[in-house]
Amino acid sequence: MKAINPATDELIKEYTEHTVEQVNEIIGLTDAEQKKWRTTGFAHRRELMYKAAGVLHKNIDKYARLITIEMGKVINESKAEIEKCAWVCEYYADNAEKFLADEMVETDAGKSFVAFEPIGVVLAVMPWNFPFWQVFRFAAPALMAGNGGVLKHASNVPGCALAIEEVFHKAGFPKNIFRTMLISSKLVGGVIENPLVRAVTLTGSEPAGMSVASIAGRELKKTVLELGGSDPFIVLEDADLPACVATSATARMINAGQSCIAAKRFIVVESQLAEFEKQQTAIMKSLKIGDPLDESSKVGAMARMDLLEELDEQVQKSIEMGAKLLCGGKKADRPGTFYEPTVLTNVKKGMPAYEQETFGPVSAIIPVKDAEEAITVANDSVFGLGGSLWSKDLKKAEALARRIETGAVFINGMTKSDPRLPFGGVKKSGYGRELSHYGIKEFVNIKSIWIA
Ligand code: NAP
């Protein structure tokens, strides 16, 4: 397994993959540890989870650099990612006990209540785009709930995968309660089939989700799937345009456009179209592409060349089909996998930029005549992850937000994950929820206890 810096094409380090025997040994050790861990109290787990947040804060420069060199995002975003991981650790340290407290229920019994018990070892299959955050938002609630975790991370971020294991070890967690397995996706089926693995969470693409869910289905194991998105960003006639345009660029360009909840389809009413196109293009053109380790760079590298090529194909095909290119539309003229911030307008049904997820710095503007058509277009997607809607009429905006088929809608703001709010999708964006009290309850045995 090779870690290659996408900004320079240099080999960072080669890692030896775990064998099937080693993987089974790791799962056995994690299972044995979890049986002890589940008997520990919340106070103990809370103390360790706070220490994990401390380890993240203390090593922020080291871990942020690792993220940046392995997957190419700009260093300031990597630092923000580490801070957010510390936040989610603290959030579940503070709230897990409350979220999982027994729920008394009045029945005909002398006493009846619902208890939330750990289920055992959970497999996490994770992507490279937020290589720390995606893992921590699973691991913090899972460990606080008394579960164990085994991680199969994306093959291009093995250093991050091992560093996450290190965070928990440095914090004083038992060595085997959270383990990283360096394996290719071919071995994932065998891990799911291992009887000691009780459930699976996957964040990644639709094909990966389908494969993992079908194996887990055959094994009757629960899954949570956080998959792709093609989030609508709706601009209505009464939107505050300057604020909306500035946010539109941020919402599209975070992580060089490689975010599941990045705004991808900009659905703009005709009265705002010309100004929106002009102002968004101006911002996109002004963003400095550069060395991701340089704090002044605004656009880093894409994570891999095959992903850049796939994105470019979607752009070229959309142009062939009639989309108008306002800026960018090609690989940047420098070594590494940098793609120019791109704006396409006149995007229509049938074009890749309309139908598919564009996982990179490409904005697709879809003109519509009014709010009704905007909602129809927003829902005309196989995905349903997040969405953003801009209008000064908050009552109308709220009513429209309820009609958007996604797991979240942000009004006059960009879609973002927040430990306090549930996160997840509908349709082909997956199912189940992470974060908030909903997330921690995905992997527990919700158990009724009835006493005569
Ligand atoms: P990916 O190719 O699906 O990889 C995600 C993870 O799944 C990696 O660990 C990968 O391992 C593994 N994997 C791939 N194919 C598999 C299979 N057939 N069986 C088992 N495991 C498999 O996705 P990606 O390119 O890393 O990430 C981009 C996608 O993730 C986008 O669609 C994005 O929207 C989505 N995403 C969703 C969320 C969310 O919360 N909804 C968040 C972030 C990203 P290898 O690396 O070894 O192939």
Side-chain angles (χ1 to χ4, degrees), residues 376-393:
T376 305
V377 171
N379 290 337
D380 187 21
S381 170
V382 294
F383 298 109
L385 195 54
S388 176
L389 188 143
W390 291 73
S391 164
K392 283 186 190 138
D393 181 343

Side-chain angles (χ1 to χ4, degrees), residues 30-38 118-121 146-148 177:
T30 305
D31 176 66
E33 192 59 62
Q34 190 271 335
K35 290 191 165 62
K36 291 184 250 161
W37 179 247
R38 63 175 292 145
I119 54 166
V121 178
N147 291 317
I177 199 64

Side-chain angles (χ1 to χ4, degrees), residues 137-149:
R137 76 179 184 184
F138 151 73
L143 298 183
M144 284 306 297
N147 291 317

Side-chain angles (χ1 to χ4, degrees), residues 411-452:
I411 295 168
N412 298 335
M414 68 181 258
T415 308
K416 47 183 186 282
S417 58
D418 179 323
R420 297 161 295 186
L421 288 170
F423 185 96
V426 295
K427 302 202 261 184
K428 292 210 168 165
S429 292
Y431 51 75
R433 291 294 178 266
E434 292 193 285
L435 303 176
S436 82
H437 66 93
Y438 292 99
I440 198 168
K441 287 184 181 138
E442 288 283 3
F443 295 120
V444 290
N445 174 14
I446 303 174
K447 184 172 179 179
S448 298
I449 299 190
W450 190 97
I451 305 165

Side-chain angles (χ1 to χ4, degrees), residues 126 128-129 134 137 152 155 203-205 208 226-228 260 357:
M126 290 290 154
W128 46 264
N129 63 340
Q134 305 288 3
R137 76 179 184 184
K152 181 271 180 275
S155 297
T203 302
S205 62
E226 300 283 6
L227 308 177
C260 53
E357 178 177 36

Side-chain angles (χ1 to χ4, degrees), residues 146-167:
N147 291 317
V150 286
L151 169 67
K152 181 271 180 275
H153 216 325
S155 297
N156 54 331
V157 290
C160 291
L162 292 171
I164 292 166
E165 192 181 59
E166 176 193 276
V167 171

